[in-house]
Amino acid sequence: MYRFLLSRQWVILTLLGLVLIPSMIKLGFWQLHRHESRVARNEEVAASLSAATVPVGTLTDTRDGPADDDKFRTVTARGTYDEKHEVVVRHRTGADGDTIGYFVVTPLIRKDGPPLLVNRGWIKADRDLTAFPSVPPAPKGEVAVKGRLMPDETTGASGIKDTKGLPDRQVMLINSKQQAKALGRPLLGGFVQLTATAPKPQGHQPELLPEPDHSGIGPHMAYAVQWWLFTGAVPVGWVILVRREAQERRRAAAGGPGEAPGGSTAQSAEPAEPTEPSAPAEVDKHDKHAEPADPTERRGAAEPGPPAEAGEPTGPGEKREATRGESFAKEPEPVTE
């Protein structure tokens, strides 16, 4: 009954299902791990944002940047901005997540330690991307800054390619080691995302970066459940197809309606065309023993006629006997010697 499973198309379909089942199980666990990573990241970000504010020098130095657990920690620093070595970071989006512009990064020269890179915020890009954009001036004199501590950006961690040959004072990544070469002196590892400045600067300033999202978990768990549902649908669908194929073959073998084996539809026999009634056979009028087709003729034949003459047969039986008698009389008698 199920020998069709050995056909080429069914072997291929079965092998495809056997490949899909473990693949979709793995994809489900991959999405589950992404969900767990997102939840763990949210917890770390929330813990860092709620931690006590500390001086920047306690969490980073010129040899090593901030630890992973110290990312987004709130730190403070005092110094004066060095606008001469200020740079802009290309292809960064604003708070809306769509508008392309620049991050403005300015070194803060500290009296009590190495300089520190400060991301002062975002500005919209000009039409001429080859020239240094118009950047709001940094506050003059000594200022106290407060912000979130971040590690150096790298291509491996951010996925941003560090393009070379850019226009002067334009970069792709915020990296303290690269800027230390331009500045000619070591910098503290990492940088600070500015959140507040004292005294408050006058005039237009770059747009401050918003606090990182640490509440959303994304759709990863839903994707995981979806992949696992697909995994269960594969064997169920395979069984349904097998049973349907077997039923169709049984109907085809029994001669019933339905699809014949191989997918062709069994066609029912066409009804025979109705035939016209045949004309009644003609009756020989000279045959006295023929039954007339018309009832009136049959009634007419039943009416008595004139009396038969003597010696003449009155019925069919007598006629046959007379005929036999005549034939016997006419036969010659055998001659005996």
Side-chain angles (χ1 to χ4, degrees), residues 147-316:
R148 296 179 288 268
L149 183 61
M150 303 292 295
D152 286 327
E153 293 181 345
T154 61
T155 300
S158 64
I160 301 174
K161 184 178 179 180
D162 190 11
T163 306
K164 305 298 181 182
L166 296 176
D168 188 33
R169 298 170 61 190
Q170 295 191 24
V171 297
M172 296 298 298
L173 300 170
I174 306 176
N175 190 285
S176 60
K177 291 181 175 57
Q178 292 180 359
Q179 296 306 311
K181 296 177 182 178
L183 193 60
R185 55 191 299 188
L187 296 172
L188 288 177
F191 63 97
V192 170
Q193 288 182 353
L194 185 65
T195 59
T197 303
K200 187 176 180 180
Q202 302 296 322
H204 178 66
Q205 291 293 310
E207 180 182 332
L208 298 179
L209 303 183
E211 185 177 275
D213 177 29
H214 56 280
S215 59
I217 59 176
H220 305 299
M221 177 57 76
Y223 290 160
V225 174
Q226 187 178 40
W227 280 119
W228 291 332
L229 290 176
F230 290 160
T231 302
V234 170
V236 172
W238 184 87
V239 171
I240 292 175
L241 291 177
V242 169
R243 295 187 63 180
R244 182 180 299 173
E245 180 71 13
Q247 291 174 358
E248 291 173 353
R249 288 175 179 268
R250 282 196 297 268
R251 286 198 299 267
E259 289 190 358
S264 60
T265 304
Q267 297 180 356
S268 59
E270 296 181 359
E273 296 182 359
T275 57
E276 297 181 359
S278 59
E282 296 182 359
V283 180
D284 189 359
K285 296 180 180 180
H286 301 285
D287 189 356
K288 296 181 180 181
H289 303 289
E291 185 178 355
D294 189 78
T296 59
E297 295 181 3
R298 190 179 299 113
R299 288 194 299 269
E303 294 177 359
E309 297 180 2
E312 191 173 356
T314 59

Side-chain angles (χ1 to χ4, degrees), residues 20 22 25 27 63 67 75 89-90 97 107 140 149-150 171 193 200 209 221 236 251 313 320 326 331:
L20 287 176
I25 291 175
L27 288 171
R63 292 172 300 179
V75 295
V89 187
R90 294 168 59 96
K140 303 299 183 181
L149 183 61
M150 303 292 295
V171 297
Q193 288 182 353
K200 187 176 180 180
L209 303 183
M221 177 57 76
V236 172
R251 286 198 299 267
R320 284 194 294 273
E326 291 177 0
E331 290 182 359

Side-chain angles (χ1 to χ4, degrees), residues 72-153:
F72 296 113
R73 282 287 302 271
T74 304
V75 295
T76 58
R78 295 186 65 89
T80 57
Y81 283 116
D82 181 7
E83 291 185 281
K84 181 179 178 181
H85 295 95
E86 187 174 67
V87 297
V88 292
V89 187
R90 294 168 59 96
H91 300 303
R92 300 304 174 102
T93 57
D96 59 1
D98 296 324
T99 309
I100 302 297
Y102 302 96
F103 285 164
V104 180
V105 179
T106 310
L108 181 70
I109 308 300
R110 299 166 57 233
K111 292 183 178 179
D112 56 351
L116 170 69
L117 293 180
V118 177
N119 182 356
R120 295 171 49 211
W122 178 86
I123 61 172
K124 189 175 180 179
D126 297 332
R127 293 185 178 180
D128 187 3
L129 300 179
T130 61
F132 192 80
S134 176
V135 178
K140 303 299 183 181
E142 187 177 42
V143 293
V145 297
K146 182 180 180 181
R148 296 179 288 268
L149 183 61
M150 303 292 295
D152 286 327
E153 293 181 345

